[in-house]
Amino acid sequence: MSQGYTVAVVGATGAVGQKIIEKLVERSFPYSKLKLLASKRSAGKEVEVNGLTYTLEEATPASFEGVDIAFFSAGGSISKVLAKEAVSRGAIVVDNTSAFRMDKDTPLVVPEVNKQALHEHQGIIANPNCSTIQMVAALEPIRKEYGLNKVIVSTYQAVSGAGAAAIDELITQSEAIKEQNPNPAILPVKSAEKHYPIAGNVIPQIDVFEEDGFTFEEHKMMNETKKIMTLPNLSIAATCVRVPVVTGHSESVYIEIDNENVTVDELKQLLSNTKGITLQDAPEQQQYPMPYFATDKDDVFVGRIRKDPSNSKGFHMWIVSDNLLKGAALNSIQIAEALIEERILKEV
């Protein structure tokens, strides 16, 4: 590849970082140089990407000299230290953490929903929370066509959203469940005083609780949805739950639209014609979205669309997506692709 962008991936050894690298190759992103950045302890290790061998480098401010676009997925503390260092050296940063999501000067982008916000960037673009991404991707075509004034969402989130250690804990506990000695140490929050088993269990807590009884994860979903969809007065509430699934977040979503004459079939037709959405809604044939079948798939899957029996403007639906792909890595790549399409990223 003679011409292309110099791309850096921060957190290249993590689950999302690895998926970003996979998607760069799979989608033929126009890079000519790839810098894989990680922690000091991983520096020096070699990895193969698309038939070429790369040596992992420690992520430092100097790492971003000459970089055009940098994908960050190494945790908020790393982003807070290094993202602006990358920008000061000429890079555009796509950040996968919560470090800048609610910063008023940082666009929070799902390209299918608010690609125009990319033009307002000041060097950093935030990738939303995984649960938020799949929900707004499914709700945006409905909002555009019929309006949207209320959302109530309950999530069923996979353990991969809590990192590799949580995956390992689920697998270990699943094997030890007969002995009833789960020995939990990660979930619901690693730094919390108490931990609970996830194998054979459902934990109604993701992240720490705040004063109003909602968790930080729930506040993220509520605030990010308003920001992305430019609906500051949207009535929205979230309950976020961890379930014993490795990959793939599921959501039960209730919405209220502006028009009371809309039918279920009209919503199905609208979503089936929306790029990036796969409609799986044939209950008579037991066809509906499930995380098992959504894993490693790029689309957001929607099904079980029903009209609320007591509200002519209300609908219920079930939304599923791979949280490591559309919920993280894929959306990041789509942001970078949109930067090129919109001629925001300099031509090479």
Side-chain angles (χ1 to χ4, degrees):
M1 194 179 296
S2 58
Q3 283 193 326
Y5 298 98
T6 297
V7 172
V9 179
V10 183
T13 59
V16 174
Q18 291 176 35
K19 291 291 185 181
I20 288 173
I21 295 166
E22 288 177 18
K23 287 297 170 183
L24 285 170
V25 174
E26 180 186 309
R27 296 172 73 88
S28 300
F29 189 84
Y31 69 87
S32 57
K33 185 177 181 180
L34 186 61
K35 301 185 76 171
L36 304 184
L37 307 177
S39 63
K40 187 175 182 178
R41 67 177 179 274
S42 295
K45 295 180 181 177
E46 293 185 341
V47 296
E48 186 175 301
V49 178
N50 200 26
L52 298 175
T53 300
Y54 292 82
T55 301
L56 293 173
E57 303 174 35
E58 180 184 0
T60 67
S63 302
F64 301 99
E65 295 290 349
V67 169
D68 297 305
I69 186 161
F71 298 97
F72 275 68
S73 62
S77 59
I78 300 298
S79 293
K80 288 177 181 178
V81 171
L82 290 179
K84 291 181 180 179
E85 294 285 354
V87 172
S88 70
R89 288 163 173 80
I92 295 179
V93 168
V94 179
D95 184 55
N96 238 302
T97 77
S98 61
F100 302 100
R101 287 174 183 159
M102 295 312 299
D103 179 82
K104 63 181 179 64
D105 297 321
T106 302
L108 183 67
V109 176
V110 177
E112 301 95 321
V113 180
N114 64 333
K115 182 169 64 173
Q116 70 282 356
L118 292 172
H119 290 274
E120 302 166 10
H121 87 86
Q122 296 181 27
I124 300 173
I125 298 153
N127 200 56
N129 179 276
C130 45
S131 297
T132 305
I133 290 173
Q134 66 186 65
M135 185 175 74
V136 299
L139 296 187
E140 175 61 9
I142 298 172
R143 183 203 67 79
K144 287 175 67 176
E145 192 72 20
Y146 303 116
L148 182 68
N149 53 59
K150 187 171 188 175
V151 178
I152 299 175
V153 53
S154 295
T155 71
Y156 305 72
Q157 293 180 226
V159 296
S160 56
I167 297 174
D168 292 341
E169 186 163 272
L170 171 60
I171 294 170
T172 300
Q173 289 176 359
S174 298
E175 294 170 348
I177 201 165
K178 291 182 180 179
E179 286 76 29
Q180 297 193 355
N181 184 29
N183 194 29
I186 303 294
L187 297 170
V189 182
K190 188 174 182 180
S191 60
E193 182 179 336
K194 292 182 179 179
H195 299 102
Y196 298 110
I198 187 60
N201 196 22
V202 169
I203 304 176
Q205 178 187 359
I206 299 179
D207 218 314
V208 297
F209 284 102
E210 301 194 334
E211 289 184 3
D212 61 358
F214 286 88
T215 66
F216 186 56
E217 180 84 357
E218 291 158 356
H219 275 288
K220 282 192 287 187
M221 280 202 78
M222 294 186 285
N223 294 331
E224 290 176 19
T225 299
K226 291 179 181 182
K227 181 175 179 179
I228 295 164
M229 302 187 84
T230 321
L231 293 173
N233 297 318
L234 177 68
S235 175
I236 181 169
T239 301
C240 295
V241 180
R242 190 74 71 189
V243 296
V245 171
V246 174
T247 303
H249 288 353
S250 304
E251 298 170 346
S252 174
V253 181
Y254 168 77
I255 62 170
E256 290 179 9
I257 60 176
D258 294 339
N259 190 333
E260 62 184 14
N261 298 315
V262 179
T263 67
V264 168
D265 284 341
E266 286 174 320
L267 281 193
K268 287 183 179 181
Q269 186 65 37
L270 175 66
L271 290 168
S272 66
N273 290 331
T274 300
K275 185 178 180 181
I277 302 294
T278 294
L279 183 72
Q280 293 181 329
D281 199 332
E284 70 282 359
Q285 300 172 25
Q286 291 182 268
Q287 291 182 5
Y288 33 69
M290 290 178 276
Y292 183 90
F293 299 102
T295 301
D296 293 329
K297 304 292 196 307
D298 287 349
D299 274 8
V300 173
F301 297 84
V302 184
R304 297 216 58 207
I305 301 173
R306 294 147 285 152
K307 198 151 193 173
D308 188 84
S310 60
N311 187 337
S312 60
K313 297 181 181 180
F315 290 86
H316 299 264
M317 63 186 65
W318 181 250
I319 303 172
V320 176
S321 188
D322 186 321
N323 54 296
L324 299 179
L325 289 180
K326 183 54 183 169
L330 175 62
N331 198 72
S332 296
I333 301 298
Q334 289 175 315
I335 288 172
E337 291 170 342
L339 288 170
I340 297 172
E341 293 166 8
E342 297 291 305
R343 300 184 182 277
I344 299 169
L345 196 61
K346 66 181 182 183
E347 293 186 12
V348 293

